[in-house]
Amino acid sequence: MNSSVCRGWIDHRRHTPRIHAFRYRIGMLYVDLAEQEHMLGLSRLLRPWSWAPLCWRERDYLPSRTRLGVPLVDAVRQILNEALGAAPQGAIHLLTQPRSWGLSFNPVSFYFCHEANGRLAAILCEVRNTPWRERYHYVLPVPPGESCAFRVAKAFHVSPFLPRDMDYHMGFLVQDTHIRIRMENWRDGHKVFEADLALKRHPLDASSLRRHVLAFPWMSLRTVSAIYWQALRLLFKRTPLYAHQASEDGLSLGQTAHKDPNHARTDPERYQGW
């Protein structure tokens, strides 16, 4: 199988106006969307039922389309076609935290979209915010032969502790058994915040799913609890709050990112040397 169980670490660090940092262990699934039926047959721990230890169902993703009956693969390709004028027709791999014991929450899910020849052609980022439960997506095209380094204007209010008038600098690496994703928030030429996700992939089978559930029995709840605990710590530090700015339809708007060759050149070790 191309699908896998992923385990690793998520690091957050805020540089201004208050220094704040934390690091957590994290477990995720890396799902080849063509393998969904096979994946659901591996273990009773992973089922399409809401209250399963791990629940996989398409309508938890891109719900403005999948809850209308559009298969998730088609929903992803529709968005890419609307943003780019064409959609790659190869494999789509989704990095995500599945619903756990009835609770579904993903700050961000990543769809790695390939051409038929296997080349990574685009990355779709599906973002959710707290506590407003809105969704947004960013489309990141990957031209042939170029590194996965991007710069895009922030267009969706994610956290009450960060303003919306910022730029994202993003870097991705999916290589053999390792996945690394880095995201930085920049404002007026200064780095305000950075997050680093480092994962190791393990073959997806019944035993790896069992180990995953034992290691991360309440992953969705842990994620939500960590968000509110860190928010409380930021309040104690008197970190400024920013008023919520809703997206135009509050559901599933999107934006296409552009390559940032200057950023990739000036920071090669961060984005090209993983």
Side-chain angles (χ1 to χ4, degrees), residues 96-107:
T96 188
Q97 292 182 37
R99 181 183 293 269
S100 174
W101 300 109
L103 179 61
S104 173
F105 183 73
N106 267 298

Side-chain angles (χ1 to χ4, degrees), residues 197-261:
L197 176 65
L199 299 168
K200 184 175 182 180
R201 295 174 57 192
H202 303 270
L204 182 63
D205 53 31
S207 61
S208 66
L209 284 170
R210 183 170 58 252
R211 289 192 297 271
H212 180 83
V213 171
L214 289 174
F216 305 99
W218 299 92
M219 192 67 245
S220 297
L221 180 61
R222 286 179 59 182
T223 299
V224 174
S225 301
I227 287 172
Y228 282 103
W229 169 242
Q230 298 302 330
L232 184 61
R233 292 182 61 198
L234 288 169
L235 287 174
F236 285 151
K237 293 182 178 182
R238 299 183 180 180
T239 306
L241 293 169
Y242 295 88
H244 174 238
Q245 295 176 278
S247 57
E248 293 178 13
D249 69 359
L251 180 61
S252 186
L253 293 177
Q255 179 174 340
T256 303
H258 299 284
K259 294 295 294 180
D260 183 17

Side-chain angles (χ1 to χ4, degrees), residues 142-162:
V142 183
E146 296 195 22
S147 64
C148 292
F150 305 91
R151 180 176 179 177
V152 60
K154 183 180 179 182
F156 180 60
H157 198 153
V158 177
S159 165
F161 297 98
L162 289 171

Side-chain angles (χ1 to χ4, degrees), residues 21-62:
F22 60 87
R23 188 175 196 239
Y24 288 121
R25 290 185 67 226
I26 189 170
M28 305 181 76
L29 293 186
Y30 184 72
V31 179
D32 184 334
L33 295 186
E35 297 177 345
Q36 295 179 67
E37 185 175 350
H38 184 191
M39 182 178 71
L40 287 171
L42 291 175
S43 170
R44 287 180 295 179
L45 296 172
L46 177 62
R47 309 303 296 164
W49 311 320
S50 293
W51 291 95
L54 293 175
C55 168
W56 173 260
R57 58 185 192 182
E58 290 193 339
R59 62 182 180 272
D60 283 337
Y61 302 92
L62 302 178

Side-chain angles (χ1 to χ4, degrees), residues 51-232:
W51 291 95
L54 293 175
C55 168
W56 173 260
R57 58 185 192 182
E58 290 193 339
R59 62 182 180 272
D60 283 337
Y61 302 92
L62 302 178
S64 64
R65 300 172 191 252
T66 57
R67 291 180 185 174
L68 297 177
V70 178
L72 183 56
V73 168
D74 294 339
V76 173
R77 289 185 175 138
Q78 286 176 8
I79 290 172
L80 296 184
N81 188 64
E82 292 165 7
L84 305 176
Q89 296 301 306
I92 298 175
H93 298 164
L94 169 59
L95 180 65
T96 188
Q97 292 182 37
R99 181 183 293 269
S100 174
W101 300 109
L103 179 61
S104 173
F105 183 73
N106 267 298
V108 58
S109 295
F110 301 97
Y111 303 79
F112 297 90
C113 308
H114 301 79
E115 298 286 8
N117 63 6
R119 184 186 70 82
L120 180 63
I123 302 169
L124 173 65
C125 308
E126 181 183 8
V127 184
R128 292 181 65 179
N129 58 14
T130 307
W132 306 285
R133 299 178 62 82
E134 298 167 328
R135 297 186 189 235
Y136 195 90
H137 62 258
Y138 296 90
V139 175
L140 315 176
V142 183
E146 296 195 22
S147 64
C148 292
F150 305 91
R151 180 176 179 177
V152 60
K154 183 180 179 182
F156 180 60
H157 198 153
V158 177
S159 165
F161 297 98
L162 289 171
R164 204 167 79 175
D165 57 330
M166 310 179 83
D167 286 337
Y168 286 131
H169 293 183
M170 305 183 195
F172 298 82
L173 175 70
V174 180
Q175 190 174 58
D176 300 325
T177 62
H178 290 85
I179 298 174
R180 182 119 181 243
I181 300 172
R182 186 177 182 87
M183 187 274 292
E184 300 174 352
N185 284 22
W186 287 71
R187 190 185 195 198
D188 298 329
H190 300 282
K191 182 165 61 176
V192 176
F193 172 87
E194 59 188 318
D196 191 3
L197 176 65
L199 299 168
K200 184 175 182 180
R201 295 174 57 192
H202 303 270
L204 182 63
D205 53 31
S207 61
S208 66
L209 284 170
R210 183 170 58 252
R211 289 192 297 271
H212 180 83
V213 171
L214 289 174
F216 305 99
W218 299 92
M219 192 67 245
S220 297
L221 180 61
R222 286 179 59 182
T223 299
V224 174
S225 301
I227 287 172
Y228 282 103
W229 169 242
Q230 298 302 330
L232 184 61

